[in-house]
Amino acid sequence: MIWLLRFVLLFFIIFAVYMGVKLLFQSSRKLESARKHKRFLLLDHDDVRRNFHLTYKGAVFAGEKYMGTANNTFDVVSISIWPENTASLKGMVKDDFYYIDKKIREYYPNAEISWKSPVKEFLQ
């Protein structure tokens, strides 16, 4: 009986350590840390159906990818980006959005990038 109790206790300790490590390396935690430190971070999945998130200068943006044909291959051909919180855009200038465009083009060179409101109106 005592061996069973020790086995269960060992199982719970291993499970707690596993969950702690998993929490430390969670992608949303990385995004939040980059937002707080006002760094650039792009979190993207290989799956085209999943949106990507990026942060720059404390603002968090979400982007939607669309698949199509480009140069006789299937690739991401269109990307729509919008800010998740418009109040966080305070203090950003046009060069900041051009920098974000440039960084996204490094990952998706064949994609046409379109911004949604209010950034779309600001860039025009």
Side-chain angles (χ1 to χ4, degrees):
M1 181 68 178
I2 194 83
W3 289 102
L4 181 62
L5 185 59
R6 287 181 183 170
F7 179 72
V8 169
L9 184 61
L10 180 66
F11 174 76
F12 281 126
I13 291 172
I14 291 172
F15 181 73
V17 168
Y18 169 75
M19 291 304 288
V21 170
K22 186 176 174 184
L23 178 67
L24 283 175
F25 294 108
Q26 193 173 13
S27 61
S28 61
R29 183 177 167 97
K30 289 180 187 177
L31 185 71
E32 186 62 25
S33 175
R35 184 193 64 79
K36 284 182 182 178
H37 292 102
K38 298 187 180 209
R39 292 182 291 127
F40 179 83
L41 177 69
L42 176 67
L43 289 178
D44 192 12
H45 304 281
D46 291 334
D47 188 5
V48 176
R49 294 172 285 172
R50 294 189 65 184
N51 292 351
F52 67 86
H53 290 85
L54 67 92
T55 181
Y56 182 66
K57 289 192 174 180
V60 178
F61 299 91
E64 201 170 271
K65 304 173 281 191
Y66 300 100
M67 186 82 125
T69 57
N71 300 331
N72 296 325
T73 61
F74 282 103
D75 201 6
V76 175
V77 294
S78 178
I79 296 175
S80 296
I81 306 171
W82 63 91
E84 290 195 345
N85 183 6
T86 55
S88 64
L89 298 176
K90 184 178 179 182
M92 293 184 80
V93 295
K94 288 185 180 183
D95 288 339
D96 295 328
F97 297 107
Y98 296 142
Y99 176 78
I100 293 171
D101 272 354
K102 184 180 92 170
K103 288 300 222 179
I104 292 173
R105 288 195 193 282
E106 289 176 8
Y107 289 94
Y108 302 107
N110 298 325
E112 176 186 326
I113 299 172
S114 63
W115 290 89
K116 292 189 178 179
S117 187
V119 179
K120 178 179 174 183
E121 289 81 12
F122 177 67
L123 293 177
Q124 290 178 349

